[in-house]
Every structure is written in structure tokens, then in C-alpha cells.
């Protein structure tokens, strides 16, 4: 059985999605919980590798399991074994050919900028604080040039292991929502630290 999971998490306390030697990751937490429930080591395949501190509202992952499993009870069991900042929202049967990473049509990121003179203890984990006023109109005009297919090599971090730097930006927007500027970007994929 190929099982698809939809996951929500606060990434503040994690070194991103992918297992790595320098700290705890979302993949590691979930694989440990799956092993406790299923009794075998499971390798989760994530739709993307988020960076340290990145949060997710709907990260998709899948794994293959040869035994019987109650998909209605699986999220409850996993949520009982994971920290409260990692939640499985849904588990469902996927086609055998489904691969969370390769079958993802696009990825969407939202960045919130708290644009006020003073920081906020309530928004510090979920936004970037910039105290100087930002001018929305010129920023909106500038981001239009990012849409389409481009070579984003100059936007990638050192050590990025992508096979090529060409990415297609389907949509990106910047809007003011109360005291925030919210930047939303949708693309085929992103390079490491690209956005």
C-alpha cells in the first residue's frame, strides 16, 4: 500500500524536513512515530525539503507499507506520538505510482513581514520584522519580472544540490494584510534559500 500523508507543522524547533546529523527534523520525528505504530522502519518521501525554521500548512509525504493499516486511525496514532508542533491532518491510500516529490505540480510559500516600528512577541515566530515602512507599489512592480521560467542561479544558496537552476514561477504576489506585508509565491520547485 502506498500511503499519502498531509502534514502541518511549526518548524521553529526543527532543522527542516530532511533527516540530517546536526539536529532533529520533521522527517525524523514522523519516521520514528511510524516505526512505533507499524513495527518496521519506514522511509518517508516528502514533497519538498523545507529549510530550518520553515512551517507547513499542507506538506505531503508518502510511504510504502506491506501490511494492513487503518487509515482513519493512523493520523490519531501518529499525533499521539509526535510533539504538539507536528500534526498529521490526513492519511489516505494513493496509487502505487504516486511519489510525493515527483508528482507535486507546484509548491506555494507565504512569507509574512511584520512592518511595524516595534517587534511583536505574538508574531515573531511566524513573520519577519522590518521596522522601517515599506512601499508596497514599487515592490509589487518589481516582483512581476520573476514570473515565468528563468535561471535562478543567483538566488540559490551555496551548497544547493539542484540538478539545474531553472525554475518556473507560476504566480507571485505581495499584498498588505493589516500590519503585515504578505508575499506569496507558487512555482514548480524552489532552489535552496531561493525565495
Amino acid at each position: 500500500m502506498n500511503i499519502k500523508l498531509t502534514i502541518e507543522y511549526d518548524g521553529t524547533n526543527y532543522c527542516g524536513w530532511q533527516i540530517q546529523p546536526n539536529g532533529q527534523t520533521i522527517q525524523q520525528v514522523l519516521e520514528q512515530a511510524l516505526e512505533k505504530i507499524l513495527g518496521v522502519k519506514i522511509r518517508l518521501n516528502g514533497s519538498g525539503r523545507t529549510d530550518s525554521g520553515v512551517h507547513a500548512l499542507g506538506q505531503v509525504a508518502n510511504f510504502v507499507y506491506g501490511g494492513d493499516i487503518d487509515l482513519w486511525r493512523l493520523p490519531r496514532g501518529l499525533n499521539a506520538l509526535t510533539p504538539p508542533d507536528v500534526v498529521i491532518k490526513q492519511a489516505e491510500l494513493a496509487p502505487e505510482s504516486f511519489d510525493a516529490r515527483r508528482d507535486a505540480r507546484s509548491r506555494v510559500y507565504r512569507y509574512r513581514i511584520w512592518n511595524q516600528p516595534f517587534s511583536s512577541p505574538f508574531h515573531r515566530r511566524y513573520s519577519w520584522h522590518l521596522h522601517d515602512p515599506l512601499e508596497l507599489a514599487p515592490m509589487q512592480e518589481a516582483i512581476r519580472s520573476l514570473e515565468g521560467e528563468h535561471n535562478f542561479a543567483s538566488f540559490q544558496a551555496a551548497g544547493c544540490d539542484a540538478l539545474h537552476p531553472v525554475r518556473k514561477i507560476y504566480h507571485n504576489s505581495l499584498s498588505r494584510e493589516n500590519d503585515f506585508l504578505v508575499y506569496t509565491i507558487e512555482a514548480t520547485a524552489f532552489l535552496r534559500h531561493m525565495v
Side-chain angles (χ1 to χ4, degrees):
M1 290 179 15
N2 193 3
I3 310 300
K4 174 185 170 187
L5 301 177
T6 304
I7 308 150
E8 182 172 307
Y9 54 85
D10 176 332
T12 302
N13 299 319
Y14 300 93
C15 294
W17 167 266
Q18 187 174 3
I19 290 177
Q20 49 190 291
N22 65 332
Q24 192 172 44
T25 66
I26 303 297
Q27 183 183 18
Q28 176 186 2
V29 164
L30 292 172
E31 287 182 5
Q32 288 169 350
L34 282 164
E35 184 175 354
K36 284 182 183 174
I37 289 175
L38 303 175
V40 295
K41 282 199 174 290
I42 296 293
R43 179 54 102 192
L44 269 179
N45 180 34
S47 59
R49 295 177 282 180
T50 58
D51 295 324
S52 180
V54 172
H55 316 297
L57 295 173
Q59 173 105 16
V60 174
N62 73 291
F63 68 94
V64 176
Y65 179 64
D68 291 328
I69 191 167
D70 183 336
L71 295 177
W72 186 82
R73 294 179 67 186
L74 181 62
R76 286 172 169 68
L78 289 170
N79 291 337
L81 294 172
T82 57
D85 52 4
V86 178
V87 174
I88 303 301
K89 294 167 55 173
Q90 184 176 20
E92 58 189 301
L93 189 61
E96 284 184 34
S97 62
F98 177 75
D99 180 296
R101 187 166 184 193
R102 289 183 181 88
D103 291 343
R105 292 187 183 106
S106 70
R107 290 146 177 91
V108 178
Y109 283 86
R110 292 189 78 207
Y111 292 85
R112 295 168 17 119
I113 301 168
W114 176 253
N115 193 210
Q116 292 296 308
F118 300 99
S119 63
S120 166
F122 299 104
H123 301 295
R124 68 181 179 80
R125 292 177 121 180
Y126 309 105
S127 63
W128 180 27
H129 176 236
L130 290 176
H131 56 82
D132 291 329
L134 297 173
E135 293 185 41
L136 184 61
M139 295 168 71
Q140 289 173 321
E141 185 178 332
I143 65 172
R144 277 189 256 153
S145 65
L146 297 174
E147 291 189 6
E149 191 169 79
H150 306 286
N151 182 326
F152 286 96
S154 60
F155 288 86
Q156 73 186 14
C160 181
D161 61 357
L163 296 177
H164 61 81
V166 176
R167 297 293 185 263
K168 183 174 185 177
I169 305 293
Y170 294 120
H171 168 78
N172 74 140
S173 64
L174 184 66
S175 61
R176 189 170 295 280
E177 296 178 15
N178 300 316
D179 294 324
F180 292 98
L181 289 183
V182 179
Y183 178 60
T184 304
I185 184 166
E186 179 180 5
T188 51
F190 296 95
L191 301 168
R192 185 173 185 205
H193 299 303
M194 174 180 151
V195 179

